[in-house]
Amino acid sequence: MRGIKVLIFCCFAALSTAGLAQRDFSQVEITTHRLADNLYYLKGAGGNIGMLVGEDGVFLIDDQFAPLTEKILAAISAVTDQPVRFVFNTHHHGDHTGGNQNLGKAGAVIVAHENVRVLLIKGIEGLLEEWAHQRRSPRGDIDQLLTADQRAGLPVLTYKDSVHFHLNGENIHAFYNGPGHTSGDSFVHFQNANVIHTGDVFRTTGYPFVDGKASGSFLGILASYEMLLEISNPDTVFLPGHGVPSGQDDIREQLEMLYTIRDRVKTGINDGLNLERIQSTNPTAEYDDRWAGGKVKGPDLVKVVYNELIYK
Ligand SMILES: [Zn+2]
């Protein structure tokens, strides 16, 4: 029995190591793109990195994957000799927060919505189990279990509704608009440059992804798109979590599509159809060519919409 357990453990260990090894970052190139006077974004692997530079230091939004930190820092130093002072996480996903620990150790202050910190802590392997075990003989706060390395990768400053940064002549308003892509999404609005980093709530690479494990919400994404339109104007540039800088029309086009899909699913539910029947009517038909190329396929989106509407 013991032998089998060891064997199973080894297989899992081998699988996860193989999973990591598959991701080869050595060929990834970080490219720098200008959005406004002192505002840029960096592309590489993972989420688009926003970067405000100036005499007050670098304000970074998201940091992709840990193996890319060196290249990201090289790309930053090609633009400015100032250090990274703040790293703002738009949400907790690893393709946006993987560089946190490196940058935190290098002295950057990591900032995020309070739920991002909770979700990142939940993702630390074995930590919740250890905490549950220790709680039996009351030991208090989970923070006390974190190592210095783990703490370096977590936001040290969190906010609940909104937070302002004032540096490099820019007013940066970061705020929470409720659950959408996850339950910890921030929009980061550079009010003078008229640029909004949307995190993964808005992407131009595929259908919206609702992270159910992190209490995301499709209807929340719709509300968030409405909010983006409300606080912007025709000149606003939206930097999506993945994809290319966009305008209000791009947000509107996606929003219209998402309302259409929602209404079709709603009609199916009102007609008494179950999920499979609604999926078979193909409510995303004319949109799949353009939007189903990523990990969210038409039927996946329909399922998310259905589950949210049916349980409301
Ligand atoms: Zn994400």
Side-chain angles (χ1 to χ4, degrees):
M1 191 62 198
R2 197 190 156 93
I4 290 171
K5 270 188 189 159
V6 169
L7 186 66
I8 289 170
F9 172 77
C10 288
C11 286
F12 272 116
L15 272 176
S16 55
T17 309
L20 279 177
Q22 270 169 16
R23 191 95 207 210
D24 176 15
F25 291 100
S26 64
Q27 302 306 312
V28 175
E29 198 191 328
I30 307 292
T31 56
T32 306
H33 310 263
R34 196 173 211 152
L35 289 166
D37 271 358
N38 56 347
L39 187 58
Y40 300 79
Y41 75 100
L42 308 179
K43 279 189 96 66
N48 285 327
I49 295 176
M51 175 173 79
L52 177 77
V53 302
E55 290 172 341
D56 304 337
V58 177
F59 179 93
L60 215 59
I61 303 176
D62 293 342
D63 49 30
Q64 299 190 350
F65 297 98
L68 294 175
T69 303
E70 228 170 278
K71 289 182 187 178
I72 291 166
L73 289 173
I76 294 170
S77 62
V79 177
T80 176
D81 53 9
Q82 294 287 332
V84 178
R85 194 163 160 199
F86 294 101
V87 173
F88 191 98
N89 293 149
T90 58
H91 62 295
H92 73 290
H93 287 157
D95 56 334
H96 296 256
T97 58
N100 273 10
Q101 199 175 96
N102 295 334
L103 293 169
K105 280 185 182 171
V109 174
I110 300 172
V111 188
H113 185 263
E114 60 186 13
N115 292 347
V116 171
R117 193 166 193 282
V118 172
L119 289 161
L120 283 172
I121 285 176
K122 268 188 182 172
I124 296 175
E125 219 179 304
L127 188 70
L128 285 186
E129 290 79 357
E130 195 185 337
W131 190 52
H133 179 70
Q134 298 215 356
R135 274 174 81 197
R136 277 183 218 126
S137 51
R139 283 287 168 89
D141 203 82
I142 195 165
D143 279 43
Q144 293 172 307
L145 296 179
L146 297 169
T147 64
D149 274 357
Q150 288 168 338
R151 286 197 299 272
L154 295 169
V156 294
L157 208 161
T158 59
Y159 79 94
K160 192 179 175 68
D161 300 313
S162 90
V163 60
H164 288 264
F165 295 85
H166 307 274
L167 75 165
N168 297 325
E170 185 54 90
N171 293 320
I172 308 165
H173 180 215
F175 65 97
Y176 182 60
N177 197 46
H181 174 62
T182 69
S183 57
D185 308 312
S186 289
F187 290 134
V188 188
H189 190 180
F190 296 88
Q191 295 182 317
N192 291 338
N194 199 10
V195 172
I196 303 174
H197 193 310
T198 66
D200 280 2
V201 175
F202 170 68
R203 307 178 309 158
T204 65
T205 52
Y207 284 129
F209 172 59
V210 176
D211 184 346
K213 283 190 196 142
S215 305
S217 160
F218 172 80
L219 298 175
I221 287 179
L222 297 186
S224 292
Y225 277 34
E226 295 283 8
M227 167 61 76
L228 287 176
L229 290 172
E230 222 168 272
I231 62 166
S232 59
N233 61 44
D235 297 326
T236 305
V237 173
F238 299 91
L239 178 63
H242 299 268
V244 294
S246 305
Q248 279 189 328
D249 286 348
D250 302 296
I251 304 265
R252 275 197 200 96
E253 188 193 347
Q254 271 201 32
L255 188 57
E256 214 170 284
M257 165 184 78
L258 297 175
Y259 277 133
T260 304
I261 294 167
R262 180 203 63 178
D263 290 345
R264 287 174 184 168
V265 174
K266 204 188 248 177
T267 303
I269 291 170
N270 290 343
D271 289 347
L273 305 184
N274 65 17
L275 172 61
E276 289 69 30
R277 292 281 304 282
I278 293 174
Q279 281 169 326
S280 73
T281 66
N282 207 359
T284 61
E286 73 268 43
Y287 305 117
D288 283 352
D289 269 358
R290 176 152 179 214
W291 299 107
K295 67 177 167 185
V296 182
K297 307 299 178 198
D300 305 326
L301 183 64
V302 170
K303 184 177 177 185
V304 166
V305 179
Y306 175 88
N307 283 334
E308 247 177 82
L309 292 176
I310 200 93
Y311 296 120
K312 255 185 93 75

